Amino acid sequence: SASEPASYVDARRAAMAAFEREYLVGLLRRYAGDVQRAMAHARVSRASFYRMLRANDLRASEHRPDGQRSAP
């Protein structure tokens, strides 16, 4: 039922998803949407970083001061 606690697996999955989103948003804010710098800080590959952005429905341009796009 809805009042039952989530299983360990479901609770862990939800916590990891929340962490990932918060981490990415924090990086994008810190580096003003500069994906290259955010990726370097996170020490993840370009492919992984963009996969995480897509999975979390995030766009670097939303965190740039002027909202403009830059090279991918």
Side-chain angles (χ1 to χ4, degrees):
S1 84
S3 62
E4 287 184 32
S7 71
Y8 170 80
V9 171
D10 290 341
R12 183 177 187 279
R13 184 178 297 123
M16 290 299 290
F19 162 78
E20 183 174 280
R21 182 174 181 79
E22 290 174 24
Y23 182 77
L24 292 169
V25 167
L27 284 178
L28 292 171
R29 285 183 180 155
R30 177 178 183 163
Y31 295 109
D34 185 331
V35 174
Q36 289 294 110
R37 291 176 64 204
M39 287 184 320
H41 180 96
R43 296 183 183 165
V44 297
S45 71
R46 177 184 177 95
S48 293
F49 197 83
Y50 277 104
R51 188 177 319 112
M52 289 187 290
L53 290 180
R54 279 192 306 276
N56 287 281
D57 197 28
L58 295 172
R59 288 161 195 78
S61 61
E62 294 172 355
H63 300 277
R64 293 188 187 114
D66 55 9
Q68 68 174 257
R69 296 179 53 144
S70 69

